[in-house]
Amino acid sequence: MNNSTSTSVSRSSAGGLLFVLMCLALLASSASVQAGAKYEFPLSWSFTEDDELHELTFTGQSERAVLFFRVYDIAHYVETTTQRTVTQATVVSDGPSKAIVISFARRLDREQIRDEFNKSLRRNAQPDWLEQAGPTITTFINGIDRDAQPGDQMVFYWLAGGRVIAEFNGEREFGVTDAAFAKLIWSIWFGAEPACDREQLLAGLT
């Protein structure tokens, strides 16, 4: 009976190990597919605001991933004529025009997007930013009324003077002049606990 029990346990253990290895293989395959489907961002980005053309240059890209799943790809741009004045130390500061372009890789419903921003805006915030931008945060989050599908794009512009514009698939959804809010938005990806690799987002500046 002992030999039979031992054999049964051995087979059970082998079966369990095989199952684990199969799961790991599937997860690795999923990660490989996700990594191979990254969005290719253009090397330049332009937009017009108040009849003024802003031409921006690509500084780098990264991704937001949870476990093995890529949630979105993200790129950062700065005004072409002032590109060299932006560094990791100054990127969360008012100055030359900048843009963050997000390309969604997965479907997210509006409640998920609201919840993510509500947490992310506070993760790297300085207390005075939250105090100054409180009403703007509420208006911005409450204004998120669309689900995101794979391939959808969200763009944030930060113009000199603390002006922030948000677009979704090319349509303007939000605009405000609030320097504290602009810093909160940029701190999501460039703060002490960034949502992605901030060095990758500025790799093109070196």
Side-chain angles (χ1 to χ4, degrees):
M1 180 177 292
N2 289 340
N3 289 338
S4 175
T5 302
S6 176
T7 301
S8 175
V9 171
S10 297
R11 288 176 178 174
S12 176
S13 298
L17 178 59
L18 178 61
F19 176 75
V20 170
L21 291 174
M22 288 175 65
C23 287
L24 289 174
L26 287 172
L27 288 172
S29 175
S30 173
S32 177
V33 170
Q34 290 290 330
K38 290 182 180 179
Y39 184 79
E40 292 295 329
F41 291 96
L43 297 180
S44 62
W45 193 273
S46 64
F47 69 100
T48 300
E49 182 63 22
D50 294 335
D51 296 324
E52 181 180 356
L53 176 64
H54 297 268
E55 296 182 335
L56 284 66
T57 298
F58 175 84
T59 66
Q61 76 177 78
S62 187
E63 66 180 25
R64 170 66 167 166
V66 178
L67 297 177
F68 290 94
F69 300 103
R70 202 172 80 260
V71 181
Y72 58 76
D73 296 303
I74 178 171
H76 185 254
Y77 296 82
V78 298
E79 193 92 43
T80 302
T81 57
T82 55
Q83 181 180 0
R84 294 180 181 178
T85 66
V86 177
T87 65
Q88 285 196 19
T90 64
V91 67
V92 187
S93 302
D94 196 22
S97 296
K98 299 182 281 282
I100 286 173
V101 181
I102 296 170
S103 178
F104 290 95
R106 303 184 63 81
R107 182 187 179 279
L108 296 176
D109 64 43
R110 67 199 69 184
E111 289 303 323
Q112 288 177 302
I113 298 172
R114 286 175 180 171
D115 184 61
E116 180 67 17
F117 272 113
N118 196 35
K119 293 176 181 177
S120 298
L121 286 168
R122 291 166 169 75
R123 184 175 298 120
N124 298 306
Q126 294 185 11
D128 57 326
W129 296 353
L130 288 174
E131 182 178 356
Q132 294 168 24
T136 303
I137 294 172
T138 300
T139 301
F140 170 71
I141 292 177
N142 289 343
I144 298 173
D145 59 359
R146 300 192 195 184
D147 299 340
Q149 305 295 335
D152 284 346
Q153 283 195 345
M154 178 178 285
V155 182
F156 290 99
Y157 297 106
W158 182 355
L159 285 71
R163 189 174 182 185
V164 178
I165 299 168
E167 294 181 349
F168 189 82
N169 288 339
E171 296 182 12
R172 181 170 303 195
E173 299 291 336
F174 181 80
V176 69
T177 299
D178 186 333
F181 181 72
K183 293 175 183 178
L184 288 170
I185 290 290
W186 254 249
S187 73
I188 293 174
W189 299 282
F190 294 101
E193 297 180 32
C196 64
D197 190 327
R198 60 185 176 183
E199 293 185 0
Q200 289 182 351
L201 287 176
L202 296 178
L205 295 177
T206 57

